[in-house]
Amino acid sequence: MAHHTKPSSDVGALKAALEAALEDNRLLRDTVERLQEQVERLQARVVDLEGRLRMNSKNSSKPPSSDGYAKPRPTSRRVRSGREPGKQPGTPGAHLAQVAVPDEIVLHVPAACGRCGADLDDAEVVKADARQVFDLPPIRLMVVEHRAECRRCSCGTITTGCFPTDVSSPVQYGPGVQALGTYLSAYQHVPCERTAQMMSDCFGASIATGTLITHQAECALRLTGFVGTIREQLSQAPVAHFDETGARVNGSTSWVHSASTDRLTMYTAHARRGNEAMNDAGVLPAFTGIAVHDGWPAYRHYGSAHGLCNAHHLRELTGAAEETGQDWAGDMIELLLSAKLSVDAAHAKGHDRLDTLLLGTYQQRYDDIIRAGHLANPAAVSVSGRRGRPARTKTANLLHRLDDRRDDVLRFTTDLTVPFDNNLAERDIRMVKLQQKISGGWRSPEGAERFCTTRSYISTARKQGVNVLSALRQVFEGRPWVPQGASP
């Protein structure tokens, strides 16, 4: 029986077709992989963008001003005290009360009897009902003229008296006017033009805006010694709060840094945000206490230990719970708030530490929650051919930070001198944002630094119960107020 073999040309054609099909398959697989990677990237971007749309001041570090008209539903984590709203029984009220000795008495005498019409000029005064009106007297500038007499001695020499050192011009404004203008600009954030208008309307003082700016510059110049004092006291503080915020200076983004205790405040302006600015401010390089901050890595170079702001963590955990629905985030919120209540109770009883057993319970519960968080957020697997560490989700980043920095997160439970949050610094730095919101940015770095110096003085004086306007007047009288003693 004869065997027929297929021509070699047919075999070659089949082989070429097979190779072409394999190549098409490889190209298709490569295309599918590329499209799959693109879909994964787009899905991640959609999740990120949706997360950004859901972000507000309640579940992130965004400021309340960014919420716009679509403000989130008000929420509060404060525990109800059980007391009724308003004034509590036994507490002193605040109201306008009559004084025993008024500055002026105006008599209103009845001219005639209300029944028979008889004249009452010589009638007996039975009683007098009193009503008092509290009002401002007419306000105007008081002009004090200084005269330096020239006297001739019997020897024939003429000697002239000396003017006070702060009276250097034929006509000038005194420390009261200088203090008030600076008070309105640096403390009440009134723009210079409006400050000048107010001074004119209220006191008849036609002050040019350039004069107001000169007064502010002179105030800052006279506070050099004050700044050195609070810098030293802040450096020696056992616990201090630090924060920074962006600011527009000469049309560019700069930074205002703050260092604070409950009795001291120091602001500095700098073109940089990180260590260069912190070193130039002069507080942190010599600081050996516990630095409380929001986690900005540059602060890690200073201090003996750190306390992280748990107000930030609560907002981020709220966002994580809303975005992912993971139970561990809500559990961590509950744990942190429970620990805060225990610390507050210990403070109220005069204790300087938490009960050892209670502290251990909180630490163990913290570890359990972190483990649950890792189970809900497994480590991302590296994709073959893709360089670098796999990207983490925002929730995973928060989890790893809480894990890596657990000692700093719980610092308020192990050292009761450390607060739960960094709200003190945030309240201080908020004044800088308020200044920019009302008056805008600064035209020069020198102007920004002058504001920071004056505002440091004002904030510190206010924290220590010193009248701000009186303190500013002391500056222009050549005797600035300076806080005494070391910072607590």
Side-chain angles (χ1 to χ4, degrees):
M1 182 176 179
H3 295 278
H4 297 282
T5 59
K6 189 174 288 189
S8 59
S9 60
D10 292 344
V11 174
L14 288 173
K15 185 175 180 181
L18 178 60
E19 290 178 351
L22 290 173
E23 178 63 19
D24 289 343
N25 181 266
R26 185 186 66 78
L27 293 174
L28 287 172
R29 291 174 65 88
D30 289 345
T31 301
V32 168
E33 288 182 2
R34 287 197 303 271
L35 290 174
Q36 186 174 6
E37 291 181 4
Q38 185 176 4
V39 168
E40 290 175 357
R41 288 196 300 269
L42 291 174
Q43 286 177 332
R45 185 176 182 185
V46 168
V47 170
D48 178 63
L49 292 174
E50 288 179 343
R52 293 186 186 185
L53 286 174
R54 288 191 294 268
M55 287 172 61
N56 54 55
S57 60
K58 301 295 184 182
N59 59 18
S60 71
S61 295
K62 295 181 67 176
S65 59
S66 67
D67 292 334
Y69 291 109
K71 292 187 179 296
R73 184 183 181 88
T75 58
S76 175
R77 296 191 177 95
R78 290 190 295 179
V79 179
R80 290 185 63 87
S81 64
R83 297 181 300 179
E84 293 295 326
K87 178 182 176 298
Q88 301 302 308
T91 58
H95 64 283
L96 190 62
Q98 291 189 349
V99 298
V101 182
D103 297 295
E104 182 182 357
I105 296 176
V106 179
L107 291 177
H108 301 278
V109 180
C113 176
R115 190 178 74 171
C116 68
D119 184 86
L120 297 178
D121 286 346
D122 297 324
E124 176 188 4
V125 177
V126 180
K127 68 173 184 176
D129 294 328
R131 297 179 181 180
Q132 294 184 348
V133 177
F134 289 67
D135 201 358
L136 289 172
I139 304 174
R140 66 177 184 84
L141 292 183
M142 179 180 67
V143 179
V144 177
E145 181 174 291
H146 294 262
R147 295 181 179 180
E149 291 186 341
C150 303
R151 298 197 175 188
R152 189 191 305 275
C153 179
S154 58
C155 70
T157 302
I158 298 177
T159 304
T160 303
C162 296
F163 288 106
T165 55
D166 59 342
V167 180
S168 56
S169 302
V171 178
Q172 65 184 66
Y173 288 110
V177 173
Q178 295 171 315
L180 182 58
T182 304
Y183 171 91
L184 292 172
S185 296
Y187 185 35
Q188 301 298 344
H189 309 291
V190 182
C192 280
E193 288 187 4
R194 291 173 58 190
T195 296
Q197 186 63 51
M198 181 177 177
M199 299 285 280
S200 176
D201 292 342
C202 294
F203 316 115
S206 300
I207 302 179
T209 56
T211 302
L212 290 172
I213 294 172
T214 300
H215 292 167
Q216 295 169 22
E218 183 179 351
C219 180
L221 183 62
R222 295 187 179 200
L223 289 174
T224 302
F226 166 84
V227 171
T229 298
I230 63 169
R231 179 185 290 116
E232 180 181 357
Q233 292 184 9
L234 283 166
S235 298
Q236 297 172 358
V239 179
H241 297 248
F242 301 92
D243 203 358
E244 75 290 329
T245 187
R248 298 296 290 177
V249 178
N250 194 24
S252 301
T253 300
S254 292
W255 297 88
V256 173
H257 295 253
S258 72
S260 308
T261 67
D262 60 350
R263 292 175 62 80
L264 302 169
T265 307
M266 180 175 174
Y267 300 99
T268 53
H270 201 279
R272 305 291 183 185
R273 184 185 182 189
N275 296 120
E276 180 183 342
M278 296 172 182
N279 291 335
D280 287 350
V283 174
L284 280 165
F287 181 71
T288 58
I290 299 174
V292 181
H293 52 85
D294 58 8
W296 176 240
Y299 292 118
R300 291 282 163 191
H301 295 83
Y302 310 100
S304 60
H306 301 265
L308 292 180
C309 177
N310 282 303
H312 277 74
H313 292 148
L314 291 178
R315 291 193 293 267
E316 292 181 86
L317 287 165
T318 299
E322 292 175 353
E323 182 176 342
T324 66
Q326 296 175 3
D327 292 338
W328 73 269
D331 293 340
M332 184 62 79
I333 291 174
E334 182 180 345
L335 171 66
L336 291 174
L337 292 176
S338 177
K340 181 181 184 300
L341 287 176
S342 297
V343 170
D344 291 343
H347 278 300
K349 295 177 182 178
H351 297 167
D352 60 357
R353 60 175 61 88
L354 281 183
D355 176 76
T356 303
L357 182 60
L358 180 61
L359 178 60
T361 301
Y362 283 134
Q363 292 172 339
Q364 182 60 52
R365 179 66 179 141
Y366 190 96
D367 293 342
D368 293 342
I369 294 172
I370 292 296
R371 278 194 292 271
H374 283 302
L375 291 175
N377 296 272
V381 179
S382 298
V383 178
S384 177
R386 190 180 297 177
R387 300 177 61 183
R389 188 184 70 180
R392 291 174 179 165
T393 64
K394 185 169 58 176
T395 299
N397 282 330
L398 170 62
L399 174 65
H400 280 79
R401 187 180 351 123
L402 293 173
D403 190 3
D404 296 340
R405 302 297 184 187
R406 64 182 64 201
D407 290 342
D408 298 339
V409 175
L410 294 177
R411 185 78 60 190
F412 74 101
T413 64
T414 56
D415 186 340
L416 299 198
T417 65
V418 177
F420 176 79
D421 50 43
N422 197 32
N423 285 354
L424 188 150
E426 292 190 2
R427 285 193 298 269
D428 286 337
I429 208 73
R430 190 176 295 128
M431 295 300 100
V432 177
K433 308 305 289 186
L434 185 60
Q435 167 72 16
Q436 294 180 87
K437 184 176 181 180
I438 297 174
S439 297
W442 294 280
R443 295 182 179 179
S444 68
E446 294 77 17
E449 193 59 45
R450 286 197 297 265
F451 171 84
C452 288
T453 298
T454 305
R455 188 75 207 192
S456 301
Y457 181 74
I458 288 172
S459 179
T460 301
R462 190 167 182 268
K463 285 181 177 180
Q464 300 200 24
V466 177
N467 182 277
V468 173
L469 188 57
S470 298
L472 286 170
R473 185 183 183 107
Q474 288 182 232
V475 175
F476 290 104
E477 290 175 343
R479 49 184 187 90
W481 169 82
V482 177
Q484 300 299 317
S487 172

